[in-house]
Amino acid sequence: MVPPMASAEDIVLALEAPAALFDGAGQLVRANTAFDLTAAPVERLADLTDGAPRETLAADGALVTWTARDLPDGMRLVTGRAARMGLDQREQYLASMSHELRTPLNGVLGMAGLLADTRLAADQQAYLATLQDCGEHLLGLVNDILDLARLDSGQLTLHPAPLAPKALLQSTAELLSPRAHDKGLEIAWAAPADLPTVLADEGRLRQVLFNLAGNAVKFTEAGGVLLGVEARARSDGRVTLRFTVTDTGPGVPEADRDRIFEAFAQTDGHVGRTDSSGLGLAIVRRLAAAHAGIAGLDNPPEGGARFWFEAGFEIAAAAAAPERALAGKTVMVVCANAVVSRAAAEQVRSAGGVALTFASLAEADQANAPDDAVVLMDHALAPRGPRKPLAGRPSVVLLAPEQRGSIGRYRAGGFAGYLIKPLRDVSLIERLLAASGAPATPSSSQDERATAGQIKARVLLAEDNPVNAILARSLLEREGCSVDRVASGEDAVAAALSGAYDLIFMDQRMPGLSGRDAARTLRERGCRTAIIALTADAFEEDRQACLAAGMDDFLTKPLQPAALKLMLRRWSRAGWTPAREKAKLAS
């Protein structure tokens, strides 16, 4: 027997998409459940004709596109489809929003920073500080919301490359040190000497650490934040790393440990704060999932909170034999801050030395330490007045970057050297060996944080936005640079090829030739000058695209003076700037 053909009404009810059946007079005959859920206005669809789509908003705010089809019996079938943005369109939309929102924020925060360096009355300074705080909070919200939207789009791609975990901890701590020091906190890092180089996406791992450590700085009122890493397991060319961020803050109640990684979730201590969006840890959770890893937290016995992220990585290169440069050396770490003390002691031990920690001068003075022990003394505990070292021992003082002005007085008082916090292990070894009189191999990496001199570089600035151009020029000239500006990609190529520049700062979105296309053109035509991407497109994929186009580094807007200074010093070299020819420049 031939089964009876399904009726039009049966077809409507069987469809998963929203569907309705209308008669020739425009009366609704039948609708399925999906149609009812859209709460579509029937009167707007009653006269819908074949080939003429119409859009309505569903009850949940989604845009629905409706089309009609004429049936042989005079009925009309109307079906709906959610007008969801394609992934490519969504990516373009998010990138555009990142640029359009961050570009004016760059002007607001940048100009506020320049204004802060002018002479202001006390009430004006207070108003300006509030303006800067609000601007920074708005920037954080924009970054978090756009990044969370990008992660939820399902288009996250990891770009693994050889990475030294220790270097990642060091750079993250240095990036956050100004924010920590502004709150009177310390930030430090420590890592074992036997960690291998792994294949990992540096940008995404830095984002995890930056979110965890930034969160710790935000909610810690005294003490500090310690970044760490350890190898949990090794097998078949892979290693499981656990990155940790430990703070001396209030800790997280047991009941909040699961939900704190959810978007917009806040613990009782966070509710009502205007500097917290509740998105940073949600981003960490998604990035952990992208690495097939896990993120969590616990409260250590000594108090505070310890956030962690754990994932497996392919080993790119086995760890080099640990350098035991401090073998046979004893170092007395004299510091009241437990974070700095612990980090310094672990760095000494990783280099083969013996570390003794003391929380006060009196405690250290009474200790039974070897006569040849070297003292690491924090600035906060250093003797006032003549600033003499402890009991005549060779001593090195620990300073925050903003305390460099005290170097001369400490040197005159008998100190053998100084170190800038957060400590770098290479600098630590060099200073301790020099203080003890032992020969030390000079490091090829200068600690640019201790260099106060200006950089006399000739810079080509390619920036079409006049406000951003004024800001970038002012910051560069403040560092001693001579700046020429162009306002298009074509002019950037012409200027770079006809003039002699030490560095090129290249905006990405300019009329005509884009910044990336300009960089490709310059590389194809033999220009080897370092090109720094200057952009409000702050996603990791943007950084990768800039590097693939031949650029050397990546600097996001809003411009931060400290980040710009670090970039200048990173790409500085001796013997710059031959005589230049004329170039077409913007006024």
Side-chain angles (χ1 to χ4, degrees):
M1 242 183 112
V2 178
M5 293 185 63
S7 68
E9 294 186 29
D10 291 335
I11 294 174
V12 167
L13 295 176
L15 290 174
E16 293 185 5
L21 194 64
F22 290 82
D23 62 20
Q27 297 297 312
L28 179 64
V29 176
R30 178 73 70 178
N32 64 9
T33 302
F35 181 91
D36 294 336
L37 290 176
T38 66
V42 175
E43 64 278 4
R44 287 201 60 201
L45 303 178
D47 60 348
L48 190 61
T49 58
D50 195 355
R54 187 167 297 167
E55 292 180 339
T56 65
L57 282 178
D60 62 357
L63 196 65
V64 181
T65 301
W66 301 94
T67 56
R69 180 185 303 173
D70 292 333
L71 302 179
D73 57 359
M75 307 286 274
R76 273 182 300 110
L77 176 65
V78 176
T79 56
R81 177 177 57 86
R84 297 187 181 276
M85 189 181 295
L87 287 177
D88 289 342
Q89 290 176 298
R90 185 171 182 176
E91 291 293 290
Q92 294 173 5
Y93 174 76
L94 289 173
S96 177
M97 283 298 96
S98 173
H99 185 273
E100 295 304 321
L101 289 171
R102 292 171 64 90
T103 295
L105 274 173
N106 178 58
V108 171
L109 290 174
M111 292 302 173
L114 294 179
L115 183 60
D117 290 334
T118 64
R119 185 175 300 176
L120 300 173
D123 56 344
Q124 292 173 321
Q125 291 175 347
Y127 300 153
L128 182 59
T130 302
L131 172 65
Q132 290 175 309
D133 288 343
C134 292
E136 293 288 350
H137 179 49
L138 179 58
L139 175 62
L141 284 172
V142 168
N143 290 341
D144 287 347
I145 290 172
L146 291 174
D147 215 5
L148 191 63
R150 169 65 68 92
L151 294 174
D152 283 344
S153 73
Q155 291 296 289
L156 174 63
T157 302
L158 298 179
H159 302 275
L163 169 72
K166 182 181 73 173
L168 178 63
L169 294 184
Q170 175 183 290
S171 61
T172 304
E174 290 179 4
L175 282 171
L176 282 168
S177 64
R179 189 186 305 178
H181 291 156
D182 284 346
K183 289 190 66 177
L185 304 174
E186 296 286 1
I187 187 167
W189 65 274
D194 60 348
L195 288 177
T197 299
V198 298
L199 289 178
D201 188 320
E202 179 179 355
R204 290 304 183 185
L205 283 186
R206 188 186 307 279
Q207 188 176 11
V208 169
L209 284 176
F210 200 85
N211 279 4
L212 292 179
N215 195 67
V217 170
K218 186 181 299 180
F219 296 108
T220 300
E221 299 302 327
V225 177
L226 179 65
L227 282 63
V229 62
E230 61 177 314
R232 306 280 284 186
R234 305 174 195 237
S235 62
D236 300 326
R238 292 184 63 81
V239 61
T240 299
L241 297 179
R242 171 172 282 201
F243 294 90
T244 59
V245 174
T246 307
D247 64 54
T248 57
V252 179
E254 186 81 29
D256 293 326
R257 292 189 187 179
D258 290 332
R259 71 183 187 89
I260 199 172
F261 284 92
E262 298 174 2
F264 300 104
Q266 296 179 327
T267 66
D268 291 341
H270 300 172
V271 172
R273 290 186 61 133
T274 59
D275 58 352
S276 175
S277 66
L279 292 177
L281 295 181
I283 292 172
V284 168
R285 185 181 190 178
R286 285 158 174 78
L287 289 173
H291 285 83
I294 187 172
L297 73 113
D298 52 64
N299 292 341
E302 61 271 20
R306 181 188 296 116
F307 286 83
W308 50 266
F309 160 75
E310 184 175 303
F313 301 91
E314 183 179 345
I315 296 176
E323 183 182 0
R324 314 293 288 179
L326 296 181
K329 304 292 182 184
T330 298
V331 179
M332 301 172 67
V333 181
V334 186
C335 181
N337 187 287
V339 168
V340 175
S341 181
R342 177 179 169 184
E346 291 192 22
Q347 289 185 19
V348 168
R349 291 167 187 144
S350 292
V354 175
L356 307 175
T357 59
F358 307 94
S360 69
L361 280 173
E363 185 181 340
D365 197 36
Q366 297 171 6
N368 185 21
D371 293 338
D372 61 350
V374 180
V375 178
L376 273 182
M377 186 182 302
D378 191 69
H379 170 85
L381 294 182
R384 298 300 182 257
R387 302 179 184 271
K388 292 294 183 184
L390 179 67
R393 298 180 187 273
S395 300
V396 176
V397 67
L398 306 182
L399 302 172
E402 62 271 17
Q403 295 166 343
R404 285 190 295 251
S406 303
I407 291 173
R409 294 195 299 272
Y410 279 114
R411 186 177 287 116
F415 279 80
Y418 68 92
L419 285 165
I420 301 295
K421 298 181 289 186
L423 301 178
R424 295 181 174 181
D425 56 342
V426 174
S427 300
L428 176 78
I429 293 170
E430 288 180 357
R431 291 289 196 275
L432 291 176
L433 289 177
S436 66
T441 302
S443 169
S444 60
S445 59
Q446 179 188 8
D447 190 342
E448 62 271 7
R449 298 170 301 163
T451 305
Q454 290 187 324
I455 296 178
K456 305 297 184 183
R458 181 171 293 150
V459 172
L460 176 63
L461 172 64
E463 171 64 77
D464 65 305
N465 184 289
V467 175
N468 291 340
I470 292 173
L471 172 61
R473 180 192 290 273
S474 298
L475 293 177
L476 287 166
E477 289 178 345
R478 181 185 297 176
E479 296 302 322
C481 298
S482 172
V483 182
D484 289 337
R485 180 211 165 198
V486 294
S488 71
E490 291 84 356
D491 289 347
V493 171
L497 292 176
S498 65
Y501 295 98
D502 306 312
L503 287 172
I504 301 172
F505 284 87
M506 184 83 74
D507 184 39
Q508 297 308 288
R509 299 197 181 197
M510 292 183 289
L513 202 64
S514 72
R516 293 174 194 169
D517 289 338
R520 290 190 189 95
T521 301
L522 286 171
R523 295 308 185 218
E524 290 169 358
R525 298 180 66 175
C527 177
R528 301 270 67 87
T529 305
I531 303 175
I532 313 301
L534 189 62
T535 176
D537 298 329
F539 293 123
E540 175 63 17
E541 289 78 6
D542 301 311
R543 187 178 76 89
Q544 294 293 333
C546 289
L547 297 179
M551 298 187 181
D552 299 279
D553 220 323
F554 187 83
L555 193 59
T556 60
K557 303 172 186 176
L559 287 179
Q560 300 293 329
L564 180 64
K565 181 182 296 186
L566 185 63
M567 193 69 68
L568 286 170
R569 300 198 184 283
R570 180 180 299 163
W571 292 100
S572 64
R573 66 185 189 278
W576 278 1
T577 316
R580 62 172 180 167
E581 301 172 12
K582 292 183 179 180
K584 181 180 179 182
L585 306 173
S587 56

